[in-house]
């Protein structure tokens, strides 16, 4: 949903690799064999960051082993099946038209991208019992929105990261109530956090989102198709149900990771380790490595937003326009849209998104509350056929949705996010260039960068 600035990305060179069936490829066995020989590179985590790092290293002729804690690959990419052959994404879904690294992968794996929304017209605000988009804003609302964007843009141009939260900044700037309302709503709905927590500097980087032009897309079949494609190439280099419990750099410049397996803890050593897991999880793993103080502070303190995503499948479309667009609303859920727009069948799915402290109040009633939220806007909504809901803060291996930055932390942490610590390299959405953080694009780009760092270290 957020719009990003343009950076060109080169498609990876096409190299012929024989594909293995995925069922054979994924293994949690044979891990004990790693005890004896130092590996070239170990990747911790098989989300898009870890998988793309491993993929790029394999393309470059390197030997890689990937250890993934869960039985399922993809981490915060998680496509699920619903009834009538339809599907939805409980994690990442939208691909912006500037997400060129992801688009290059999709093209090279033969994956199709379906259109999702056109901006700004498909972006709606539910305000005072009415759905409004930019065309139906009053003159005052339009002026308020423009004034907000101009003030945010000024911060971006000055590369300024003040010691203020979004909320504090809104209160000390002369902004109309409507401008404050859309800014606060955006913090919850797009950044999965509260306006009292997010730094204004980080928020400002995405200021052009709210009224941006352009379009976004979805991977046909769901975002997990991209994960499947990468995993298929990597084959039996990927090991599931193998959480890494400790990382230690030894005196001979090898890195040893302790891996939990069905047969107990196993140690594997490698010349390089790419750690591609969220720092919300990493800070609970002992790391014995030459980390700088700043790196330790960033790993320990980088916050992650809270997010509940609920999919509701309905027997038919009950809204008038073919594409529901993206609706922002100030309720228990703050965004809803239709992921089934380009899918076959008469059944329709609505995706409901609740971020920040409000998501933590949903607890076990997440589905009922999503249904109630939809009925606030569409009282005629019929009974649902089926539903799926996921609370990302409760996910043991994510512990949150995606990273955000508190006041001043963008400037403080940025130089340290991509820094290696001895033979340990870092990948993951949180280590991507700022405009791609919180995106699949960021995860992929971070994987490319970490792979490149490893290759350069070998020269
Ligand atoms: P992850 O996907 O979290 O991968 C990390 C992997 O490491 C996981 O598989 C995890 O199980 C594993 N792991 C963790 N700890 C260990 C350990 N100790 N040992 C071994 N393995 C471990 N992005 C978009 O581009 N568009 C969207 O529309 C979008 N919507 C989103 C909606 C939601 C609800 C969420 C949660 C995210 C969304 N994102 C979206 C963001 C996107 O999902 C992430 O930026 C991206 O998938 C992160 O990939 P990653 O590889 O950095 O991390």
């Amino acid at each position: 949903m957020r719009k990003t600035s343009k950076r060109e990305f080169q498609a990876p060179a096409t190299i012929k690799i024989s594909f293995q069936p995925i069922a054979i490829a994924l293994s949690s066995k044979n891990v004990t064999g790693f005890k004896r020989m130092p590996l070239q590179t170990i990747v911790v985590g098989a989300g898009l960051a870890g998988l793309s790092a491993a993929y790029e290293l394999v393309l470059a002729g390197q030997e890689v082993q990937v250890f993934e804690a869960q039985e399922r690959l993809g981490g915060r990419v998680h496509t699920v099946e619903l009834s009538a052959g339809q599907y939805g994404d409980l994690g990442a879904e939208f691909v912006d038209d500037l997400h060129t690294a992801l688009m290059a992968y999709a093209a090279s794996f033969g994956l199709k991208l379906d259109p999702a929304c056109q901006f700004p017209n498909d972006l709606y605000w539910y305000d005072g019992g009415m759905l409004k988009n930019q065309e139906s804003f009053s003159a005052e609302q339009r002026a308020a929105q423009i004034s907000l964007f101009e003030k945010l843009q000024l911060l971006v141009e000055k590369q300024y990261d003040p010691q203020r939260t979004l909320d504090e900044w809104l209160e000390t700037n002369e902004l109309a109530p409507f401008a404050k309302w859309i800014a606060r709503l955006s913090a919850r709905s797009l950044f999965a956090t509260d306006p009292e927590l997010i730094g204004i500097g980080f928020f400002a980087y995405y200021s052009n989102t709210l009224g941006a032009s352009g379009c976004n897309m979805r991977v046909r079949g769901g975002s997990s198709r991209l994960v499947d494609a990468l995993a298929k190439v990597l084959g039996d280099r990927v090991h599931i149900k193998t959480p890494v419990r400790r990382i230690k750099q030894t005196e001979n410049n090898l890195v040893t990771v302790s891996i939990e397996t069905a047969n107990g803890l196993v140690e594997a050593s490698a010349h390089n380790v790419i750690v591609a897991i969220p720092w919300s999880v990493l800070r609970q793993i002992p790391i014995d490595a030459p980390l700088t103080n700043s790196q330790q502070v960033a790993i320990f303190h980088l916050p992650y937003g809270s997010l509940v995503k609920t999919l509701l499948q309905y027997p038919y479309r009950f809204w008038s326009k073919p594409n529901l667009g993206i609706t922002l609303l100030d309720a228990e859920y703050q965004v809803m849209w239709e992921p089934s727009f380009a899918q076959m069948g008469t059944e329709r799915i609505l995706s409901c998104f609740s971020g920040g402290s409000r998501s933590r109040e949903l607890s076990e009633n997440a589905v009922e509350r999503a249904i109630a939220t939809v009925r606030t806007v569409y009282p005629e909504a019929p009974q649902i056929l089926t539903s799926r809901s996921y609370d990302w803060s409760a996910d043991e291996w994510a512990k949150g949705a995606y990273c955000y930055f508190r006041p001043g932390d963008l400037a403080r942490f940025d130089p340290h996010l991509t820094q290696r610590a001895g033979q340990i390299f870092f990948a993951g959405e949180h280590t991507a260039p700022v405009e791609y953080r919180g995106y699949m694009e960021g995860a992929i780009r971070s994987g490319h960068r970490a792979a490149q760092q490893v290759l350069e270290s070998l020269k």
Side-chain angles (χ1 to χ4, degrees), residues 152-214:
L152 291 169
Q153 197 53 39
L154 265 182
L155 291 177
V156 176
E157 279 163 20
K158 288 189 199 153
Q159 301 257 306
Y160 190 36
D161 184 21
Q163 287 289 347
R164 280 190 190 169
T165 64
L166 169 64
D167 220 43
E168 289 163 348
W169 181 84
L170 290 172
E171 288 313 319
T172 49
N173 273 272
E174 284 176 14
L175 286 162
F178 183 70
K180 292 180 185 176
W181 182 74
I182 55 177
R184 290 188 172 116
L185 192 48
S186 303
R188 295 198 173 89
S189 56
L190 305 176
F191 296 86
T193 185
D194 294 316
E196 302 84 14
L197 295 175
I198 190 168
I200 184 60
F202 184 59
F203 183 86
Y205 269 92
Y206 299 102
S207 59
N208 56 352
T209 309
L210 312 175
S213 59

Side-chain angles (χ1 to χ4, degrees), residues 44-50 67-70 74-77 90-94 99 242-244 276-278 281 285 307 309 353 392 397 401-402 428-429 438-441 443:
V44 185
L48 277 182
F67 296 104
E68 164 57 46
Q70 305 188 65
R76 285 169 278 169
V77 170
L90 288 171
E93 178 174 337
F94 292 107
H99 288 178
T242 49
V244 167
I277 65 178
V281 179
I285 297 176
L307 190 45
K309 192 170 176 186
F353 212 77
W392 285 94
W397 305 109
Y402 29 78
E429 145 288 296
Y439 287 114
M440 294 184 276
E441 178 76 9

